[in-house]
Amino acid sequence: MSSLPLHERIRQEVESSILSGELRPGDRISSEFELMAHYGCARMTVNKAMSALAAAGLIDRRKRAGSFVARPRNVAMMLDVPDLMSEVMGRGQRYAYRQLSRQIADTAHDRQAFAELGAVGRVLRLSGLHVADDTPFAFEERIINLALVPEIEQADFSQEPPGTWLLKHIPWTEAENRIGALGASREHARALGIAIGESCLAIDRHTWRATDSVTFVRQVFVAGTYELVARFGPSRPPA
Amino acid sequence: MSSLPLHERIRQEVESSILSGELRPGDRISSEFELMAHYGCARMTVNKAMSALAAAGLIDRRKRAGSFVARPRNVAMMLDVPDLMSEVMGRGQRYAYRQLSRQIADTAHDRQAFAELGAVGRVLRLSGLHVADDTPFAFEERIINLALVPEIEQADFSQEPPGTWLLKHIPWTEAENRIGALGASREHARALGIAIGESCLAIDRHTWRATDSVTFVRQVFVAGTYELVARFGPSRPPA
DNA sequence: CAGTGGTCTAGACCACTGA
DNA sequence: CAGTGGTCTAGACCACTGA
C-alpha cells in the first residue's frame, strides 16, 4: 500500500540514495528531464521533489550544470523549543509558576534592559520559577516591552507563566535562542535549591514582532533535569 | 527592484500578515481561488506559496474548510551544528585536535558502548581535546562502529579530528543531538584545565547511516566558551 | 550556444470533509 | 454535495552558465 504522492516518492528515493552512500557528495543527480523519463511523469512533479531536497540542503542545483549531492557542512538541525508548561503537563506532571519578583523599569535608566531590548521605553521585569510536581526545575528572568504588550501589566501569572501568556497574546514572533551553560549564581542557587556554582543549562531567548523587541528571557535549568533535542534526517532515527 | 518570484512574494505577504498580527491564530486565509484572482496568477503559483507556509508550520490547511493561521506550539527552530574545526578556523583561530586515548573494544564486552550503539561488534573508542589558539575548549569522547568504517583504524587525527574525518568518509547521516549541562568530571577537569564540578555544556550526538549506528560522541564545553544558536523566523532577526 | 533549472500557465481529476 | 486543498499534466519562456 503506497498511497504516497509521486513527488514524495521521488524525493525519498533520491534522498535514500544520498543517505545510503550510493550517491556521494559532488555526484551528479539525473537531470529533471532524465527523471521525467524514468518516472514517466511531468517535469513539475520531478521539480517539486528536487526543490524540496534543495531546500533541505541535501543537494545543490546549478543552471546548465545540473543537480549535485551537497557537502554536509553546517547542518541545520530541527530543535524543538517547547512551551515549558505544555511540556511538563504533557509528561503528566503538575505544573506551577511561582513569581519571585516584579518590577516596572525603563530602558532609559535600566542598562541591562537597554542592552537586551534596545531603547523601547517602559519594560516589565519579572523573575520566577517553573515547578513540576512541587520541584522547581527552572528559574527565569524576563524583560517585556510594555509598549508592545501594555495589557501584560494586569496579567495574572498564577495559572500560566509569562511565556505562555505572551504566546497567547503575541502569537507569532521571530526568535533567537542562545544555549549555553553557567554556574548557578547566588540567586539561582537559592531559587532552585542547589549550591552556588552548580552546573546549569541556560537558554537566552530574544523575540521580536516585526522589528520590535517583544521580550528577552533567560531560563536556567539544573543540570540533568532538562535536555534539548535536535534532529537531522529524513525520518526519525532508528531505534 | 523586486525580481522576486511571484510565489515567493505571495508567501512573504501572507507570512507578514501573520507575523505582524494582522492575521491571528485561527483566522482563515483566502482560499487558493481567491488568491489566484487577487494576484492574477495560476493556482499552482498560489499553491507553491501556501505549501511552503504549511511546511514551515505557520498555517494549517484542511480540505473543504480552507487554510488557517496555526497556533504557535512547539516551534521548530533551526539549530546550527557546525563542525568544530571549521568553526574555529572560520573565526581566524588556529585549530588543533589532541588525542588523549584510543582503544579498540567490542559491544559484546563494553557495556557503555553497547548502551550507546547497540550490538554492532568491534568499536573504536577515542577521547581527545579540541584546541583553539592553544586553549582547549572542548573535550570529546567518541565511540565508532568499526564494522561501518573499518578504515578509520588507520586514520591520522593530527590534521583533523575524528568528527571531521567521519564527515568526509561517511558524508550524510541522520543524527540526534541531546543538549544539556553537567559538572566537570575529574577527567574533564584535568583535560580542560578547570575545576572538578565546574559548569559545562554537553552535546551528545548519535548518528546513523540508514539503520546502522555510525558513531556516538559526547562533547563537553567549558561554560561561557561556547554557545549554540537556534532561530525561528522568516528573515534574520532585526539588529 | 545548448542544456539545465526556475518559474509560470491553464487546465484536470480526485479525496476529503464540513455546511 | 459543494468548496477546498493535493496532486498532476503538458506545455511554455526565460536566465543562467559551463562545455
Side-chain angles (χ1 to χ4, degrees):
Chain A
M1 263 322 291
S2 131
S3 63
L4 227 52
L6 180 55
H7 68 84
E8 182 60 17
R9 206 189 109 206
I10 298 172
R11 192 192 66 72
Q12 285 184 11
E13 290 187 6
V14 176
E15 186 178 79
S16 296
S17 310
I18 295 172
L19 290 170
S20 73
E22 189 186 329
L23 288 171
R24 296 181 60 82
D27 284 357
R28 190 174 183 286
I29 294 162
S30 307
S31 76
E32 295 193 348
F33 290 90
E34 291 165 333
L35 289 170
M36 274 174 71
H38 181 265
Y39 287 100
C41 68
R43 199 182 137 219
M44 273 298 282
T45 304
V46 170
N47 183 271
K48 191 165 186 171
M50 302 300 275
S51 297
L53 291 173
L58 262 80
I59 68 174
D60 291 326
R61 317 197 75 193
R62 295 199 307 275
K63 287 173 190 174
R64 163 78 213 208
S67 297
F68 301 85
V69 179
R71 304 205 134 64
R73 325 161 212 273
N74 293 8
V75 175
M77 307 259 179
M78 297 304 285
L79 174 74
D80 284 332
V81 181
D83 175 62
L84 292 180
M85 181 167 77
S86 311
E87 187 172 71
V88 167
M89 293 183 5
R91 286 199 302 257
Q93 297 181 293
R94 271 169 296 122
Y95 172 86
Y97 174 78
R98 289 193 206 135
Q99 185 166 290
L100 296 176
S101 76
R102 180 183 191 283
Q103 176 191 347
I104 305 283
D106 195 294
T107 50
H109 309 105
D110 183 329
R111 297 175 65 184
Q112 193 203 343
F114 176 79
E116 300 298 359
L117 296 190
V120 299
R122 290 179 75 238
V123 295
L124 177 62
R125 298 192 63 143
L126 299 170
S127 68
L129 277 174
H130 296 273
V131 181
D133 278 350
D134 301 321
T135 306
F137 68 99
F139 172 83
E140 87 165 42
E141 209 172 353
R142 185 182 287 273
I143 308 173
I144 300 155
N145 179 357
L146 279 173
L148 235 71
V149 222
E151 66 271 35
I152 202 172
E153 259 193 87
Q154 273 74 50
D156 166 29
F157 301 128
S158 62
Q159 297 305 311
E160 59 184 10
T164 306
W165 189 98
L166 283 163
L167 203 63
K168 282 190 188 163
H169 290 74
I170 308 280
W172 284 100
T173 60
E174 301 174 58
E176 183 183 272
N177 297 266
R178 295 182 172 274
I179 302 151
L182 49 73
S185 69
R186 178 187 301 274
E187 190 180 14
H188 298 146
R190 194 176 43 211
L192 294 167
I194 57 176
I196 293 176
E198 197 166 322
S199 185
C200 295
L201 182 70
I203 303 176
D204 288 353
R205 178 178 306 133
H206 193 160
T207 65
W208 292 264
R209 175 115 225 194
T211 57
D212 300 314
S213 283
V214 175
T215 186
F216 172 85
V217 62
R218 162 169 288 188
Q219 294 175 330
V220 176
F221 303 84
V222 183
T225 66
Y226 190 74
E227 271 186 342
L228 291 165
V229 177
R231 290 193 177 79
F232 171 79
S235 52
R236 58 206 78 241
Chain B
M1 264 323 292
S2 131
S3 63
L4 227 51
L6 181 54
H7 69 85
E8 182 59 18
R9 206 189 108 206
I10 298 173
R11 192 193 65 75
Q12 285 185 12
E13 290 187 7
V14 175
E15 185 177 80
S16 296
S17 310
I18 295 172
L19 290 169
S20 73
E22 190 186 327
L23 287 171
R24 296 181 59 82
D27 284 359
R28 189 173 184 285
I29 294 162
S30 308
S31 75
E32 296 193 347
F33 291 91
E34 290 165 333
L35 289 169
M36 274 173 72
H38 181 265
Y39 287 99
C41 67
R43 198 182 138 220
M44 273 298 282
T45 304
V46 170
N47 183 271
K48 190 165 187 171
M50 302 300 275
S51 296
L53 291 173
L58 262 81
I59 69 174
D60 292 326
R61 317 196 76 192
R62 295 200 305 274
K63 287 175 189 172
R64 163 77 212 207
S67 297
F68 302 85
V69 179
R71 303 206 134 65
R73 324 161 213 273
N74 294 9
V75 176
M77 307 261 179
M78 296 306 285
L79 174 74
D80 284 333
V81 182
D83 175 61
L84 291 180
M85 181 167 77
S86 310
E87 187 172 70
V88 166
M89 292 183 6
R91 286 198 303 257
Q93 297 180 294
R94 270 170 295 123
Y95 172 86
Y97 174 77
R98 289 194 206 133
Q99 185 167 292
L100 296 176
S101 75
R102 181 182 190 283
Q103 177 190 346
I104 305 283
D106 195 296
T107 50
H109 310 105
D110 183 328
R111 297 175 64 184
Q112 194 202 343
F114 177 79
E116 301 299 358
L117 296 190
V120 298
R122 288 179 76 238
V123 295
L124 178 62
R125 298 193 64 143
L126 300 169
S127 68
L129 276 174
H130 297 272
V131 181
D133 278 350
D134 300 321
T135 306
F137 69 99
F139 172 83
E140 86 166 42
E141 209 173 353
R142 186 182 287 273
I143 309 172
I144 300 155
N145 179 357
L146 280 174
L148 235 70
V149 222
E151 66 271 35
I152 202 170
E153 259 194 88
Q154 273 72 49
D156 166 28
F157 300 129
S158 63
Q159 297 305 310
E160 59 185 11
T164 306
W165 189 98
L166 282 164
L167 202 63
K168 283 189 188 164
H169 290 74
I170 308 280
W172 283 101
T173 59
E174 302 175 56
E176 182 182 272
N177 296 266
R178 296 183 171 274
I179 302 151
L182 51 74
S185 69
R186 178 188 303 271
E187 188 180 14
H188 299 146
R190 194 177 41 211
L192 293 166
I194 58 177
I196 293 176
E198 198 166 320
S199 186
C200 295
L201 182 69
I203 304 176
D204 288 353
R205 179 177 307 132
H206 193 160
T207 65
W208 292 263
R209 175 116 225 194
T211 57
D212 299 315
S213 284
V214 175
T215 185
F216 173 84
V217 62
R218 163 168 287 186
Q219 294 175 330
V220 176
F221 302 85
V222 183
T225 65
Y226 190 75
E227 272 185 341
L228 291 166
V229 176
R231 291 196 175 77
F232 171 80
S235 51
R236 56 207 80 241

